[in-house]
Amino acid sequence: MRTQHFLRSVAVLVAALSLCVVTIAFAADDAKWNPANVPTPPLRPIATVTPKRVALANGIVIYLLEDHTLPIVRGIAYAKGTPLWVERGKVGLGPITGEVMRSGGTAKHPGDALDDRLASIGAAVETSYDGREMANASFHCLADNTNEVVGLWAEIMREPAFPDTKIELSRVGLRRQIASRNDDMSDVLFRVMRQAVYGKDNIWYWSREPEYATIEAVTRQDCIGLHRKLFEPSRMVLALYGDFRAADMTKLLTSKLGDWKGAHEPFPPIPPVPTDSKPRLVFADKEDVTQSGVLLGHAGFRADDPDYPAMSVFETALGGGFQSRLVNRIRTERGLAYATGAVAGDGYVRPGIFIAYSLTKSESTMTALGLLRDEVKRSVTEPFTNDEVRIARNTVENTFVFNFAQPSDILFRAAYYEAIGYPQDFLQKYQKALQSVDGAAVTAAARRKVHPEQLVAVVVGREHDFERPLASAGLPVERADISIPPPPSRTKQGSVVPAPGAEQQGREWLRQAADVAGGPLAWQQVKTQRLETSSTVVMGGRNIAASSKLAWKLPDRIVSVRTLPFGETKIGFDGKNGWSTMGATIKDEPELAKSVREEYERSLFYLFGHADQIQVAAAEPQTIDGVDYRVARVRGGAVPEFSLYFAPDGRLARIEYQGDGPQGPALNTEILSDWRRAGKVQYPYGRRVLIDGEPYLEAKVTQVTFDAPIEDSSFSKPSR
Amino acid sequence: MQRPPLFVRPQRRARGALVVAVALAMAIVPAARSHAASKSSTKTPATHVRTGLESVEKQVKEFTLPNGLRFIVVERHQAPVFSFITIVDAGSSSDQVGTTGLAHMMEHMAFKGTPWIGTTNAATEQTRMAAEEKAWSALLDERRKGARADTTRLKQLEQSFDAAQRSARDLVVSNDFSKWIEQAGGENSNAYTADDITAYFYSMPSNRLQLWALLEGSRMSHPVFREFYTERDVVYEERRMRYESSPLGRLLLEFTNAAFAAHPYGFGGIGFPSDLRTFSRTQGEQYFRTHYVAKNMVTAVVGDVTLADVQRYAKEYFSDLSSAPKPPPIDTVEPEQHAERRVILEDPGQPLIIIGWHVPAASDPTYPAYEAVADLLAGGDYSRLIKRLVKEKRVATRIDAGPGYPGEKYPNLFTLFVTPAAGQDPLKVEQEVYAALEEIETTKPFTNDELAGYKVRVKAQKIASVERNEDLANELAQAQTLYGDWREFFREQERVQRLKVSDLQNAMKTAFIKSNRTVGILTSPTTGAANEEGK
């Protein structure tokens, strides 16, 4: 207990009046003003509130809680996710999908109209996904508009339209975020920390860091696919609160969501979090600050770890407020920081990161780092005093009641726990476990969870102003590169990025090329194509002769026969199922739907036939073999972005895209030549294909026929 | 988890608020609204508008202590917790030349305790603090001599000052006051200094009402401003964090300093560096004595309490507050601006644009029109500027708008914060803004439908803002400070309902003229124009 000793002389105090705002009569009031003398009556019991739980036949779980105090209704849908669903080359797909689900609206309620309608009734529907463990879709409205807004919320969840325009708008927002990501020192500090603790090639690091190139690579099809995985009815948990009748709301939700069938994509296990960060000092230089960020970190633990209650107390005592060692030592006593503290490293779904941090002026950077290291080490080697533990435990226990401050808190937490697979009584068990946390328990838990010798130190600031060199910390120094990779237009091969407002230009070029080749109408009118070619293929360093026959009922029924010296291969797609044959072997090809769609969207039938509707934007011109080509990017649709090269005479000369090569993904370049009249159009009779810039195939059209009838049966998988 | 006391410039969060300024804060705090307590001119005659809040209004009770401190109480017994807020009707606009940053400093000082909280020996401590003050005074005097200072004496004085500080610190029980709040289960304990007001707030389990009254009553009436000079360093770190190490912070200071020639709104609140290094505890006490008086403060309590208990503890613990008169408002009126002011900050950060036009104080009858304009310009995806510049032209990724920068009690600025899209020239984007505004003022004025939507949004936001105890307490205390009557929180909607499109058009016509504006642009150092992507 603190001891307080007071002089009872008012005279002394009057003499010291310059320091006191009001004359203090110490005499009889000491006891009155001492907080230790204030009794603490028992806390009134917390009233239990039990939300109603309903499960629909398709697996959607709904928690409902009525509250008629205010005429409003709110709700949220939790949708489980995993970073495994987004490949590294497309990071940013998560936030884009989360944003465009709402901004793009649905076919029935396009985004802009939805914006206006919801605003006019003071309501909102919001969606978001950070690319990690949980996506959500929420709404709020005045009670009068419940039916309409719940209907819109359900529609957004079920059938978002993902229009290309809104995907591009989302990219514009992300580009600014990427460009600004080094502007604020604390953003840099925590990003470098994640990189240092997880490693830059670990999914838990890179899944949070979109780059210009990765957001360019995101397509509409990607968004549709990710949405379908996330918003899987059998995994979703909803919670609704407010001025409605549970029976009516159940009926409404059943009618809006009950017949929703998901794709039942399996949910992969959460990737493990690395626990083996190498102890070192990672430094990132930032010139435009007068204050550094300093922190220590290593992998943490999950909230359902038995050490969580004791570690909550530990966190409070080490760095959780004004009672804590860090705040007292670094902020209050030394004036070295405004912001300093620690977190134990608990995470609900995935383990968190143990962090002790401080922001301090450049000239006290290394001092603050030293103090942090001392205190973290001390927190494990020197047990907290009984006083420290008592105050910290009281803090944690006495704030417990705030988990129940509003009935809506109870509701949304119940739904969240179910969504993440935590038991409904998790909090109550935590509270019970706190009762046996004493000094020994805190020390034991700290020793299991905090390892000073494994800590990575991270420093961000203006090195030039530090009071001592980085090496003085006695740790190996690693310099982090925080430079932002430039947008793809600056890389040598592959993608080019259109400048804003270039769509007008790109469309003009495409239209011109279409016109030279017969005009969009003529191309649109083509219903079928038969094509025979003879070609030379480069295989294993040798030139091999081949011939092929293609029958295509546009857009998506196709069969192609290729004859090579060693045999004949056939590939076909009948609009639903894909197949292939090689000799006597017949195989199903489930990936063919995607390939055929992409073939179609890169074909002249589509490019020329729909020249006015395609999203194509002018990009930087390129000179190849002495010829100046105008280049444009086609985006949107099922196929990832690709480039069109237009020759000086306006003809389409090349189509270039990221596709497949003999050894995996490769840059494919198709060079078109020898344009001749065929039916109502001009068709390229010469074709060359380069793979990663190297010659792969050279073909000549021997015959091309348009609109000859083709039997549907030709596209079907042959029977054995 | 506790957070340290906080300096922030919160703005109205409802309708067209400047969320960006709030983004400088580490914690989300309720909007600060503060007006001259002009009693009759802004009160609304009761027009009947169904707000959904009728039952809430009936639950509000109040009483005033003999010293003038008003309490507002709402009993809500669904959970054993309560929230409070105390608002002092003084903020950093009460700073003076030479001691800028003092209002904010005293907010930090209000957490340092009392003679009974925070020290092992109050009387001895006072003697040592007196010595510390003397040592500081002597040191400052020598420093003032500048180049003519005696270096040996200077060193001696610095050592004496350090020693005096250490001696005083020996008697300190560090952060004792905050520990009492934390260990009792105090939640979301925080405070902020805005230009118009200073606010203190947290929530407590309801069996701690008496403790709460002791803590809040004693720190406001018997504070001890211990560790003043170390805390000055902490405040300087806060300045470094918010304003020196953040591109937005850097631009905001330049912009604010330029927009006001005379009124303290132009100081920036955090304090100029030289003042932060020289102001003294004596000066702080003077500030506190002047402004932290009962008639200048209001306390709202919402939650599992009874009116009778609050009255009882209020009498017991808050009666020692000074009953000195409420200090007068600032007489300085910002003179009319006759020339556009432009601040171009060449900076490594990504481009930003801030445009501010002078508009009247919130007590002016035209003020609600400015709030409506802000919402229809940049309140969301439905709003004009966001539609034009973000969704259609894609030259900006974010726009925030609102009157009331940096405060509302006095004539202030209607500000637009615009975040240009990557690769955009901020000067060109600025012109796009003016073109869009011009169009609204001439050929495409706001429509009745748009205004009707705004009125519905106000209604919905107000209902949402009373749901949580801490929000209701905040709204009532803000209205009491702002209008001199908490009932205005419920009446405000009537002013909004009466708005006509012509009010909004007139407001724009009056304010949005070139000679009335200050523009701050953050741009790339290389060309001063277009900023490079991917820096």
Side-chain angles (χ1 to χ4, degrees):
Chain A
M1 280 305 283
R2 282 165 297 285
T3 53
Q4 309 203 345
H5 170 71
F6 304 106
L7 267 180
R8 288 167 173 266
S9 169
V10 173
V12 174
L13 297 160
V14 171
L17 186 59
S18 64
L19 300 172
C20 295
V21 174
V22 176
T23 306
I24 299 161
F26 276 165
D29 294 335
D30 291 353
K32 163 177 161 169
W33 291 111
N34 183 348
N37 295 334
V38 173
T40 306
L43 187 66
R44 211 163 56 74
I46 302 168
T48 38
V49 162
T50 314
K52 183 161 188 274
R53 182 183 183 278
V54 172
L56 302 185
N58 57 8
I60 295 180
V61 171
I62 306 169
Y63 283 84
L64 298 169
L65 190 62
E66 293 184 26
D67 188 329
H68 305 285
T69 323
L70 297 170
I72 48 180
V73 179
R74 329 190 243 129
I76 191 165
Y78 293 113
K80 271 171 64 165
T82 166
L84 288 170
W85 284 336
V86 175
E87 59 182 276
R88 192 167 183 178
K90 298 195 184 213
V91 173
L93 171 60
I96 291 174
T97 302
E99 182 181 338
V100 182
M101 253 184 89
R102 167 60 185 85
S103 63
T106 63
K108 285 191 216 104
H109 297 100
D112 291 337
L114 195 59
D115 293 344
D116 289 345
R117 174 60 190 162
L118 289 169
S120 74
I121 56 174
V125 172
E126 276 145 17
T127 59
S128 90
Y129 181 45
D130 65 3
R132 288 176 292 154
E133 293 105 344
M134 191 72 75
N136 68 71
S138 62
F139 77 91
H140 66 77
C141 64
L142 293 168
D144 288 341
N145 305 112
T146 303
N147 284 12
E148 179 187 355
V149 178
V150 168
L152 290 170
W153 175 58
E155 196 178 294
I156 292 257
M157 284 197 280
R158 291 182 70 154
E159 44 197 59
F162 289 115
D164 292 309
T165 47
K166 295 299 186 185
I167 292 175
E168 178 59 18
L169 185 61
S170 182
R171 281 198 203 95
V172 171
L174 279 172
R175 280 185 204 120
R176 165 72 199 211
Q177 278 183 43
I178 293 168
S180 310
R181 77 179 182 214
N182 287 337
D183 282 1
D184 284 302
M185 195 268 294
S186 3
D187 289 344
V188 178
L189 180 68
F190 286 96
R191 193 167 70 250
V192 174
M193 174 205 69
R194 289 192 297 273
Q195 189 179 322
V197 170
Y198 290 145
K200 75 170 162 49
D201 292 320
N202 182 271
I203 191 170
W204 292 111
Y205 170 69
W206 55 252
S207 60
R208 260 184 90 151
E209 309 300 334
E211 303 284 359
Y212 295 118
T214 62
I215 64 175
E216 285 311 314
V218 169
T219 67
R220 179 172 179 268
Q221 216 50 40
D222 292 329
C223 293
I224 291 171
L226 181 59
H227 162 261
R228 193 179 302 128
K229 292 185 172 100
L230 287 168
F231 284 81
E232 163 54 54
S234 60
R235 284 197 283 270
M236 283 173 60
V237 182
L238 275 51
L240 286 96
Y241 175 76
D243 191 15
F244 54 80
R245 301 271 160 221
D248 294 338
M249 184 58 81
T250 306
K251 234 163 110 199
L252 178 62
L253 291 170
T254 307
S255 80
K256 297 290 180 190
L257 299 169
D259 63 344
W260 185 9
K261 299 214 181 326
H264 292 284
E265 295 235 20
F267 194 83
I270 299 283
V273 170
T275 52
D276 58 348
S277 47
K278 263 175 28 264
R280 61 208 191 280
L281 190 160
V282 180
F283 171 70
D285 196 37
K286 189 154 164 57
E287 289 292 301
D288 63 336
V289 295
T290 53
Q291 189 181 70
S292 304
V294 178
L295 71 73
L296 303 169
H298 66 48
F301 55 95
R302 258 177 64 117
D304 55 3
D305 186 300
D307 279 336
Y308 179 42
M311 288 304 287
S312 302
V313 176
F314 170 85
E315 173 187 296
T316 306
L318 173 63
F322 284 96
Q323 60 189 263
S324 69
R325 286 186 176 179
L326 288 180
V327 172
N328 277 284
R329 187 124 186 257
I330 300 179
R331 170 171 161 150
T332 311
E333 284 165 29
R334 302 277 304 257
L336 289 178
Y338 167 73
T340 181
V343 292
D346 50 283
Y348 269 76
V349 182
R350 143 183 62 97
I353 299 182
F354 168 80
I355 302 170
Y357 68 93
S358 182
L359 306 186
T360 190
K361 63 189 183 297
S362 312
E363 297 79 4
S364 46
T365 305
M366 300 310 288
T367 309
L369 177 61
L371 288 170
L372 278 176
R373 291 175 79 192
D374 283 346
E375 287 301 331
V376 173
K377 200 180 294 170
R378 204 161 74 85
S379 73
V380 175
T381 58
E382 255 179 64
F384 290 96
T385 64
N386 285 337
D387 258 8
E388 285 174 307
V389 174
R390 182 183 51 82
I391 295 175
R393 196 179 121 178
N394 282 348
T395 302
V396 177
E397 284 184 318
N398 290 332
T399 49
F400 185 79
V401 64
F402 287 98
N403 289 308
F404 305 89
Q406 304 283 144
S408 57
D409 295 339
I410 297 170
L411 168 78
F412 291 117
R413 188 172 48 243
Y416 183 69
Y417 279 178
E418 172 145 3
I420 61 173
Y422 271 54
Q424 289 295 312
D425 64 352
F426 176 77
L427 263 192
Q428 284 79 1
K429 288 214 178 85
Y430 167 84
Q431 186 190 29
K432 188 146 183 289
L434 275 176
Q435 288 164 17
S436 45
V437 171
D438 57 10
V442 171
T443 307
R447 288 194 179 144
R448 283 189 288 271
K449 292 295 187 287
V450 178
H451 309 286
E453 74 288 355
Q454 281 181 24
L455 287 166
V456 180
V458 179
V459 176
V460 175
R462 190 158 189 262
E463 187 178 8
H464 179 265
D465 292 340
F466 294 177
E467 75 275 39
R468 286 191 290 284
L470 292 166
S472 66
L475 289 165
V477 174
E478 181 185 302
R479 286 168 188 277
D481 176 10
I482 59 169
S483 61
I484 303 171
S489 60
R490 305 219 170 105
T491 60
K492 268 191 299 190
Q493 80 172 187
S495 337
V496 290
V497 171
E503 292 196 19
Q504 180 79 3
Q505 178 74 90
R507 218 172 268 151
E508 271 170 38
W509 293 341
L510 180 59
R511 180 61 200 253
Q512 190 186 7
D515 283 343
V516 168
L521 198 59
W523 282 94
Q524 261 176 51
Q525 285 170 347
V526 175
K527 296 283 174 276
T528 71
Q529 178 197 36
R530 280 193 190 280
L531 183 73
E532 292 177 23
T533 65
S534 74
S535 49
T536 322
V537 183
V538 178
M539 252 191 221
R542 287 162 46 225
N543 291 353
I544 302 186
S547 67
S548 70
K549 280 196 169 99
L550 175 91
W552 201 350
K553 196 169 196 173
L554 295 159
D556 61 354
R557 272 164 244 237
I558 192 167
V559 61
S560 160
V561 184
R562 166 134 4 136
T563 313
L564 289 145
F566 36 77
E568 180 189 279
T569 60
K570 254 193 194 179
I571 294 184
F573 187 73
D574 65 359
K576 277 206 173 63
N577 301 304
W579 52 269
S580 70
T581 70
M582 181 146 29
T585 319
I586 307 173
K587 263 171 56 182
D588 288 326
E589 298 285 353
E591 297 299 299
L592 221 46
K594 188 158 168 277
S595 306
V596 170
R597 179 79 210 167
E598 290 183 9
E599 273 301 309
Y600 175 65
E601 288 191 8
R602 281 194 299 260
S603 72
L604 300 179
F605 305 102
Y606 184 72
L607 290 172
F608 290 162
H610 300 276
D612 291 327
Q613 289 117 49
I614 291 173
Q615 227 183 327
V616 53
E620 281 173 25
Q622 288 189 32
T623 306
I624 304 169
D625 295 335
V627 180
D628 293 335
Y629 293 97
R630 291 168 162 164
V631 184
R633 288 290 279 176
V634 179
R635 47 158 51 104
V639 63
E641 270 187 35
F642 60 100
S643 303
L644 301 176
Y645 290 69
F646 301 97
D649 64 1
R651 284 194 196 279
L652 179 61
R654 294 176 173 229
I655 303 175
E656 192 168 83
Y657 56 96
Q658 288 292 338
D660 288 313
Q663 272 126 20
L667 187 67
N668 285 221
T669 310
E670 291 181 27
I671 303 171
L672 312 173
S673 60
D674 196 13
W675 295 80
R676 297 188 219 159
R677 185 153 203 85
K680 295 201 181 106
V681 302
Q682 293 258 321
Y683 196 82
Y685 274 61
R687 207 165 137 256
R688 278 197 301 135
V689 176
L690 312 177
I691 298 283
D692 281 337
E694 297 300 316
Y696 170 70
L697 177 153
E698 191 159 324
K700 282 196 170 354
V701 173
T702 50
Q703 186 163 63
V704 58
T705 323
F706 295 124
D707 292 327
I710 307 177
E711 294 285 332
D712 277 354
S713 55
S714 355
F715 306 114
S716 307
K717 177 170 145 191
S719 37
R720 266 193 308 118
Chain B
M1 196 177 116
Q2 289 295 100
R3 281 180 295 271
L6 181 66
F7 176 86
V8 71
R9 286 177 175 283
Q11 302 296 325
R12 264 184 195 273
R13 263 207 300 165
R15 47 255 209 219
L18 296 172
V19 176
V20 173
V22 178
L24 287 177
M26 281 205 314
I28 294 167
V29 292
R33 290 159 8 201
S34 208
H35 297 306
S38 139
K39 287 188 188 95
S40 50
S41 61
T42 52
K43 280 222 194 121
T44 330
T47 324
H48 183 67
V49 174
R50 262 212 78 233
T51 60
L53 299 173
E54 290 80 5
S55 58
V56 176
E57 186 173 353
K58 289 198 183 76
Q59 297 173 323
V60 181
K61 306 276 178 280
E62 61 170 311
F63 63 91
T64 305
L65 294 179
N67 58 18
L69 179 65
R70 184 185 303 256
F71 281 81
I72 302 168
V73 181
V74 180
E75 295 190 25
R76 281 176 160 182
H77 300 288
Q78 67 194 3
V81 295
F82 72 92
S83 302
F84 94 98
I85 185 168
T86 291
I87 295 184
V88 183
D89 193 11
S92 45
S93 61
S94 300
D95 282 347
Q96 300 187 322
V97 169
T99 53
T100 60
L102 197 57
H104 171 230
M105 180 72 193
M106 296 320 290
E107 177 227 302
H108 277 239
M109 283 294 109
F111 284 84
K112 292 297 184 180
T114 67
W116 309 276
I117 303 172
T119 185
T120 50
N121 186 326
T124 311
E125 183 189 40
Q126 292 199 23
T127 315
R128 295 194 189 179
M129 280 168 65
E132 182 189 36
E133 198 65 6
K134 255 180 96 179
W136 166 252
S137 221
L139 174 56
L140 185 60
D141 278 343
E142 194 63 32
R143 279 186 181 159
R144 281 175 174 145
K145 293 181 186 163
R148 290 187 346 263
D150 178 334
T151 41
T152 321
R153 180 159 164 73
L154 200 56
K155 194 140 177 238
Q156 272 168 1
L157 290 172
E158 271 162 11
Q159 281 167 354
S160 299
F161 177 58
D162 279 344
Q165 275 190 279
R166 268 179 279 126
S167 161
R169 197 183 307 134
D170 276 346
L171 300 176
V172 169
V173 179
S174 199
N175 288 318
D176 204 15
F177 185 84
S178 294
K179 281 183 206 168
W180 276 105
I181 301 174
E182 287 172 10
Q183 67 160 343
E187 179 93 331
N188 296 325
S189 173
N190 223 325
Y192 63 81
T193 309
D195 272 76
D196 292 340
I197 62 167
T198 309
Y200 301 84
F201 51 92
Y202 48 88
S203 302
M204 282 286 229
S206 52
N207 61 341
R208 302 291 192 155
L209 183 63
Q210 185 180 356
L211 175 67
W212 164 78
L214 184 155
L215 292 173
E216 290 310 306
S218 64
R219 73 146 148 193
M220 293 303 179
S221 38
H222 303 290
V224 175
F225 301 134
R226 49 181 62 100
E227 298 174 299
F228 186 89
Y229 296 98
T230 357
E231 195 68 20
R232 227 173 43 173
D233 289 341
V234 173
V235 167
Y236 207 113
E237 285 301 321
E238 194 176 346
R239 185 195 150 95
R240 286 191 182 98
M241 187 186 85
R242 290 193 203 289
Y243 295 97
E244 294 180 6
S245 303
S246 147
L248 174 61
R250 295 194 279 270
L251 181 65
L252 201 56
L253 268 187
E254 297 288 338
F255 168 82
T256 307
N257 293 160
F260 293 90
H263 193 275
Y265 273 173
F267 288 163
I270 189 72
F272 294 113
S274 54
D275 293 348
L276 285 178
R277 290 194 182 105
T278 55
F279 61 51
S280 68
R281 176 169 41 232
T282 307
Q283 288 168 314
E285 283 164 359
Q286 192 163 20
Y287 174 90
F288 198 91
R289 245 195 318 271
T290 308
H291 297 286
Y292 282 69
V293 301
K295 293 180 182 68
N296 210 31
M297 297 165 66
V298 63
T299 296
V301 184
V302 176
D304 184 31
V305 299
T306 63
L307 179 62
D309 281 344
V310 177
Q311 278 174 313
R312 175 157 61 99
Y313 294 131
K315 279 196 191 84
E316 186 173 352
Y317 294 107
F318 287 81
S319 292
D320 284 357
L321 267 173
S322 166
S323 52
K326 183 177 168 74
I330 297 165
D331 292 321
T332 307
V333 177
E334 180 67 18
E336 197 180 326
Q337 185 175 325
H338 295 297
E340 183 194 31
R341 296 173 194 161
R342 297 182 68 79
V343 171
I344 310 294
L345 177 61
E346 294 188 356
D347 192 284
Q350 286 295 297
L352 293 167
I353 303 169
I354 311 177
I355 309 170
W357 297 267
H358 289 279
V359 294
S363 52
D364 190 280
T366 63
Y367 196 77
Y370 287 105
E371 291 177 313
V373 166
D375 180 86
L376 296 188
L377 285 181
D381 289 333
Y382 53 85
S383 62
R384 292 290 189 102
L385 292 184
I386 290 178
K387 274 187 175 166
R388 167 69 61 87
L389 302 178
V390 177
K391 293 208 280 190
E392 288 168 32
K393 294 194 152 197
R394 298 181 186 165
V395 295
T397 57
R398 183 181 174 146
I399 306 179
D400 295 277
Y405 182 81
E408 295 179 309
K409 204 190 308 191
Y410 304 103
N412 54 82
L413 297 176
F414 182 107
T415 15
L416 279 179
F417 284 77
V418 181
T419 304
Q424 291 292 326
D425 178 352
L427 296 170
K428 294 211 175 83
V429 178
E430 182 198 352
Q431 294 306 315
E432 296 273 10
V433 171
Y434 301 142
L437 292 174
E438 169 82 17
E439 197 181 54
I440 299 167
E441 289 183 57
T442 55
T443 55
K444 295 208 178 107
F446 293 125
T447 65
N448 288 326
D449 279 349
E450 284 175 287
L451 185 55
Y454 170 65
K455 293 175 182 175
V456 176
R457 289 191 288 280
V458 168
K459 175 179 173 177
Q461 271 160 353
K462 269 209 171 315
I463 295 173
S465 72
V466 305
E467 207 181 325
R468 305 196 76 91
N469 292 345
E470 58 267 32
D471 292 338
L472 178 58
N474 176 60
E475 293 291 352
L476 294 171
Q478 298 277 0
Q480 181 67 41
T481 307
L482 170 69
Y483 298 109
D485 186 353
W486 57 263
R487 289 167 194 80
E488 287 302 304
F489 167 70
F490 298 98
R491 300 286 88 76
E492 257 182 333
Q493 280 194 74
E494 284 142 27
R495 271 197 289 286
V496 171
Q497 289 303 320
R498 287 202 302 271
L499 282 171
K500 296 193 287 295
V501 168
S502 55
D503 297 325
L504 279 63
Q505 299 295 131
N506 287 338
M508 288 179 69
K509 199 160 124 202
T510 309
F512 292 173
I513 54 181
K514 188 171 175 183
S515 59
N516 191 35
R517 78 184 177 218
T518 303
V519 181
I521 306 251
L522 190 153
T523 185
S524 152
T526 44
T527 61
N531 195 57
E532 235 183 288
E533 260 187 348
K535 256 173 130 62

